[in-house]
Amino acid sequence: MTQSTLRRNLEGYLFLAPFLVPFCFFFVYPILEGVYVSFSNTNIATGESAFVGLHNYQALAQDLVFWHSLRNTMIFVIENVPVLILGGLLLALLLNQHFPGRGAVRSIFIAPYLITGSAIAIIWEAVLDPQAGLLNQYLAMLGLSPQAWLGAAATAMPAIVLVTLWWRVGFPLLVLLAGLQDIPQELYESAWLDGAGAFETFRFITLPRLMPVLAFVTIIRFIDSFKVFAQVYLITGGGPYGSTRVLLQYLYETGFQYYKAGYAAAIGWILFLIIMVVTVFQLRFLRSND
Amino acid sequence: MATRDPDFVVRTRRRFLGGALIAGTAAVIQACSRTTTVAPTSAPAAAGSSSAQTPVSQRSSSAAETQSLDFTTFYTGPDGANMQQIVNKFDSDHPNIHVKFSSPAWGGDYVTKLQTAAIAGNPPDLVALHNYEIPGLSRFIYDISADVKAVGINPSDFLKAAWDLAFYQGKQYGVTMSTGTMALIYNKALFEKANLDPEKPPKTKDDFIAAGRAITKASDQQWGFVRDANWMPWLTFLWQDGGQLLTEDQKKAAFNDAAGKEALQLSANFVQADKISPPTAINPTDFYKGKIGMVFFGPWELAKLIDTNDKAGTKFGWSTYPKFFAKKSAVESTSHIYCLMKPKPENQAKKEASLTFLKWVVTQGSSQWTSSQIPSYNQVRDGMKDSKNPVTKQMGPWIEQAPMSIVPPAIIQWNQFFTTIKEGVESAIYKNTPPNQALATAADKVNGILAG
């Protein structure tokens, strides 16, 4: 770029500055700093920070807690994404029907999405309490024995998935509902005239028309699920005995409770790479099926 | 309608942009500048904390002005209300110092908040810490070895074991306000229903297990004993059996010995053999729901227990920790150490005000703290037995146990260490991992952590 071009475009850059300067300060710089920190032994307790090359990444490869946390994260993603998408789709299909009080019912289903993680934790700890919890009381009414939902490794993660479904289903519901309302009614009318039933219209009209929205929601939910933290940290704390500790919690513990910021940054970059690879793979898969 | 001269528009726009840029730059510079204009000072005569040693440019305000101090703690519930009253008393007695008391979090999140605030250069002026939290924050805390002498805080006026908890690597990072051991809390109503004498809580391991068995009705989710995952009874068992967590030089795990294994076997037996505890973790605060016979709580729960008895008609009782092993009189304890954090830039006037509050709160202020913990200030602790405070009057078991109190080691890796041993202990209790195997695995991990 010549000096005269730069001068000519100066105004443009100045107009961009109110966005560009904070963007560089608060996004670009921290990202670059994060890359450096992941190659250092930065410790927030001692204040030391020396370049250690790939040491953090090599150590991660042998860190059993890291692999265990990654495994728990993958289990959560695999259990949570389909449940959320199917739950959201089912609710969207139901709430797309005409019935009295539809607006209020829609609001009720979407409302939990607006609640903070800490409030969700309080609500669900009460629901899942082994001694006085609502869920166990319902089980007792059915003659079933009470369960320590959050206290047993076998049920803790499914319980977190259930909490997440209740909390986060509002997003897929909202987006899929908008997608459903975008499908021209004439298509359905024409299909009905041709004798198509409910399943055929869903299979050959709704689903194909909804596919771009479904793809978007799936990718967003994948990314969101990999970043699971609040509900796990606040409800189980990663327990019992580490069975629900997810990668982001291990990152938090490593960085802020064990003070190893360099090691935590390396975990963060691994998580970023995993999310990026999965997202790229999903996008390619969806485009190839377009 | 008048038309605009294009050159005028361009000139005006450039002038506007130039002006905005200059104004923005000035605002940024102003915001980034931390040096403030200094009023003439007349710092309090606290020897050893000479304001003359501090560059004038670093003093942000006059000592003669009212100093506002942020005092941040992890006190919630009755402890928080109690400390607020203590702070209010200080405020009314000291018109030149205003203390803002807050309790934003507990546990690891609390330390995280302090750490991030300190890195940003804006930590609270005073904080309450446990002894094992000091190493991770030590670079952000003042070494007040010289200051405590200067303001007249005399080490001989404090319980030595408690006083020593404020030291880390030879430096004094605070003054210990109080300690508080765990004690046995039991439900007298469940004792009565199980034909146990409610006025004779268990004092030995065998009595404890027998009482637990008599109370437990697993089918009804009623349990004889529920353990607190964050206050592992295993620690007390280990210490009572003569074991240690670390070697003397604090470089290796020492809990993987006969005492550690015996202590863990006892913990596991509560679930697996004696069946007095639930097979999965339960929150010990469920004790208040009335279906748990025994738990171990610290003195911070006493006010709530008394209040619940008074208002809800429950019959909760408290007693000394049973003697599970005879080798040593030991009970796990908490430690509350008040420290001064370093702001950026350091502010001498605030530091002096903080020292004034520190001295007052650990001596005079601690007289009201007796309803929450056992103060380390001798004069106040010795007078507790004659106290008319309804909660302090019930502190007998905790006063009796004060000399037995043992706290976790102050090492920088404590959080990771604790997470590791906690998972090892829980795998033995809930996953039937043999205690020797669980401890060997934990010891290997801990040795790796300590080696860095």
Side-chain angles (χ1 to χ4, degrees):
Chain A
M1 191 184 290
T2 62
Q3 203 172 354
S4 60
T5 316
L6 188 67
R7 195 175 297 157
R8 199 165 53 243
N9 293 337
L10 184 62
E11 279 182 26
Y13 288 118
L14 284 173
F15 274 111
L16 273 177
F19 164 75
L20 211 53
V21 171
F23 178 75
C24 290
F25 266 113
F26 296 112
F27 286 90
V28 178
Y29 169 68
I31 287 170
L32 295 176
E33 180 76 11
V35 174
Y36 168 74
V37 170
S38 77
F39 291 106
S40 75
N41 65 350
T42 302
N43 185 306
I44 57 176
T46 61
E48 66 180 335
S49 179
F51 184 75
V52 293
L54 289 169
H55 178 267
N56 289 331
Y57 293 94
Q58 288 166 342
L60 272 177
Q62 295 168 7
D63 183 345
L64 291 179
V65 182
F66 166 76
W67 287 109
H68 193 70
S69 306
L70 180 59
R71 178 178 158 273
N72 288 341
T73 308
M74 298 302 286
I75 289 171
F76 176 80
V77 171
I78 290 165
E79 289 180 3
N80 183 57
V81 175
V83 167
L84 264 178
I85 300 300
L86 287 175
L89 180 61
L90 190 66
L91 285 173
L93 289 168
L94 288 173
L95 297 177
N96 199 35
Q97 307 302 313
H98 291 278
F99 57 88
R102 184 173 69 163
V105 176
R106 282 178 180 172
S107 304
I108 288 168
F109 277 103
I110 292 164
Y113 186 63
L114 307 174
I115 302 176
T116 62
S118 48
I120 293 291
I122 292 167
I123 292 168
W124 279 92
E125 273 179 322
V127 172
L128 300 170
D129 186 282
Q131 288 205 310
L134 206 59
L135 194 54
N136 276 352
Q137 285 183 26
Y138 289 142
L139 286 181
M141 286 161 69
L142 296 170
L144 299 169
S145 57
Q147 301 291 320
W149 300 103
L150 302 171
T155 51
M157 189 59 95
I160 293 292
V161 171
L162 176 70
V163 172
T164 310
L165 172 69
W166 186 84
W167 182 25
R168 310 302 282 177
V169 78
F171 176 76
L173 164 61
L174 203 63
V175 178
L176 291 169
L177 198 55
L180 284 174
Q181 288 168 0
D182 257 4
I183 302 174
Q185 197 60 25
E186 299 81 41
L187 293 176
Y188 290 108
E189 286 164 4
S190 154
W192 291 329
L193 287 173
D194 290 343
F199 178 75
E200 283 84 7
T201 51
F202 176 75
R203 168 72 182 84
F204 294 106
I205 298 174
T206 308
L207 208 53
R209 286 278 171 166
L210 210 54
M211 201 48 89
V213 183
L214 265 174
F216 166 75
V217 170
T218 306
I219 290 171
I220 295 295
R221 292 277 36 107
F222 254 105
I223 294 171
D224 208 34
S225 298
F226 270 112
K227 296 192 298 179
V228 58
F229 176 67
Q231 62 271 50
V232 173
Y233 187 68
L234 293 169
I235 295 175
T236 65
Y241 25 90
S243 60
T244 57
R245 181 188 284 114
V246 288
L247 213 48
L248 213 54
Q249 184 184 343
Y250 186 48
L251 184 157
Y252 172 76
E253 287 173 349
T254 305
F256 291 102
Q257 295 181 354
Y258 310 160
Y259 315 124
K260 299 171 182 174
Y263 199 65
I267 297 172
W269 281 106
I270 295 289
L271 180 60
F272 167 76
L273 287 174
I274 292 170
I275 291 174
M276 194 177 78
V277 167
V278 171
T279 307
V280 168
F281 176 77
Q282 280 180 307
L283 282 171
R284 288 200 171 169
F285 177 76
L286 292 166
R287 278 181 193 151
S288 68
N289 284 348
D290 231 0
Chain B
M1 182 189 267
T3 54
R4 283 186 181 176
D5 172 4
D7 285 347
F8 171 79
V9 173
V10 171
R11 278 201 309 274
T12 308
R13 197 164 62 192
R14 279 190 179 150
R15 197 172 296 160
F16 167 75
L17 286 169
L21 194 63
I22 291 165
T25 309
V28 169
I29 291 169
Q30 177 68 23
C32 293
S33 169
R34 290 180 156 270
T35 309
T36 53
T37 310
V38 177
T41 60
S42 56
S49 53
S50 166
S51 55
Q53 291 171 356
T54 306
V56 171
S57 61
Q58 289 183 7
R59 293 185 215 157
S60 62
S61 62
S62 162
E65 295 169 1
T66 298
Q67 286 295 334
S68 185
L69 303 177
D70 284 318
F71 176 40
T72 300
T73 72
F74 39 76
Y75 299 147
T76 53
D79 278 3
N82 195 10
M83 183 50 75
Q84 183 64 66
Q85 286 180 13
I86 294 170
V87 166
N88 292 345
K89 175 85 170 61
F90 174 85
D91 265 5
S92 64
D93 291 351
H94 297 77
N96 288 338
I97 303 173
H98 170 58
V99 178
K100 285 189 285 183
F101 169 69
S102 65
S103 302
W106 190 89
D109 298 331
Y110 172 71
V111 176
T112 300
K113 282 179 192 295
L114 298 183
Q115 209 135 31
T116 48
I119 289 168
N122 191 29
D125 301 292
L126 290 120
V127 292
L129 294 176
H130 299 103
N131 70 310
Y132 51 83
E133 290 163 345
I134 288 178
L137 285 163
S138 59
R139 74 181 175 112
F140 305 115
I141 307 173
Y142 283 111
D143 171 7
I144 55 168
S145 311
D147 298 300
V148 290
K149 287 177 195 157
V151 297
I153 301 175
N154 188 353
S156 64
D157 292 337
F158 293 80
L159 185 68
K160 186 174 182 320
W163 177 267
D164 289 346
L165 296 176
F167 285 78
Y168 173 63
Q169 294 186 336
K171 293 178 180 173
Q172 184 174 3
Y173 286 102
V175 176
T176 308
M177 171 71 160
S178 57
T179 55
T181 59
M182 303 302 279
L184 176 70
I185 310 298
Y186 65 104
N187 187 331
K188 290 183 179 181
L190 290 184
F191 268 60
E192 282 169 5
K193 278 185 192 168
N195 294 318
L196 298 165
D197 186 345
E199 301 311 320
K200 283 188 180 173
K203 296 288 179 193
T204 65
K205 177 175 71 178
D206 292 341
D207 288 349
F208 183 85
I209 294 169
R213 280 180 172 158
I215 291 166
T216 299
K217 286 181 187 166
S219 58
D220 196 24
Q221 292 287 299
Q222 179 172 299
W223 301 103
F225 168 65
V226 165
R227 62 189 285 280
D228 188 330
N230 292 316
W231 291 92
M232 290 185 291
W234 172 76
L235 283 172
T236 295
F237 301 163
L238 170 79
W239 288 323
Q240 285 190 349
D241 205 16
Q244 290 294 331
L245 279 175
L246 292 170
T247 54
E248 207 163 315
D249 61 5
Q250 299 194 324
K251 289 187 175 167
K252 285 204 162 179
F255 54 78
N256 183 28
D257 62 358
K261 288 168 195 166
E262 202 173 5
L264 189 51
Q265 188 64 62
L266 176 64
S267 301
N269 282 350
F270 288 165
V271 172
Q272 296 158 18
D274 305 318
K275 299 187 188 299
I276 63 171
S277 293
T280 52
I282 282 183
N283 192 336
T285 55
D286 282 359
F287 176 79
Y288 288 99
K289 292 172 185 164
K291 293 181 86 174
I292 295 172
M294 297 176 285
V295 289
F296 297 129
F297 282 159
W300 51 86
E301 284 290 329
L302 183 57
K304 186 177 173 185
L305 290 163
I306 293 172
D307 192 50
T308 311
N309 279 351
D310 290 346
K311 289 180 181 163
T314 51
K315 291 191 208 170
F316 298 147
W318 34 91
S319 175
T320 50
Y321 210 101
K323 212 168 180 61
F324 288 93
F325 294 98
K327 285 185 184 162
K328 191 176 178 183
S329 294
V331 185
E332 189 186 7
S333 174
T334 187
S335 56
H336 292 189
I337 300 160
Y338 293 174
C339 309
L340 274 60
M341 295 196 78
K342 297 175 189 168
K344 289 179 193 170
E346 293 186 21
N347 184 324
Q348 194 61 27
K350 276 208 168 197
K351 185 183 175 190
E352 285 160 5
S354 298
L355 285 165
T356 302
F357 175 71
L358 178 66
K359 182 185 177 185
W360 184 90
V361 78
V362 297
T363 54
Q364 296 177 56
S366 69
S367 61
Q368 188 172 332
W369 192 238
T370 52
S371 58
S372 293
Q373 303 265 315
I374 310 301
S376 57
Y377 188 55
N378 294 332
Q379 193 182 321
V380 171
R381 195 181 60 260
D382 292 345
M384 280 179 75
K385 283 175 184 165
D386 305 320
S387 172
K388 288 178 182 165
N389 181 306
V391 179
T392 306
K393 279 200 293 189
Q394 301 285 334
M395 278 280 187
W398 286 276
I399 298 172
E400 189 182 331
Q401 291 182 157
M404 307 173 196
S405 83
I406 296 190
V407 297
I411 52 170
I412 206 161
Q413 305 93 338
W414 172 251
N415 289 332
Q416 197 171 6
F417 180 106
F418 182 77
T419 303
T420 305
I421 54 171
K422 184 179 161 190
E423 288 182 6
V425 164
E426 289 183 350
S427 78
I429 295 174
Y430 298 117
K431 292 169 85 178
N432 296 345
T433 308
N436 57 344
Q437 189 186 323
L439 290 180
T441 307
D444 279 349
K445 288 180 186 171
V446 161
N447 288 336
I449 292 164
L450 294 173

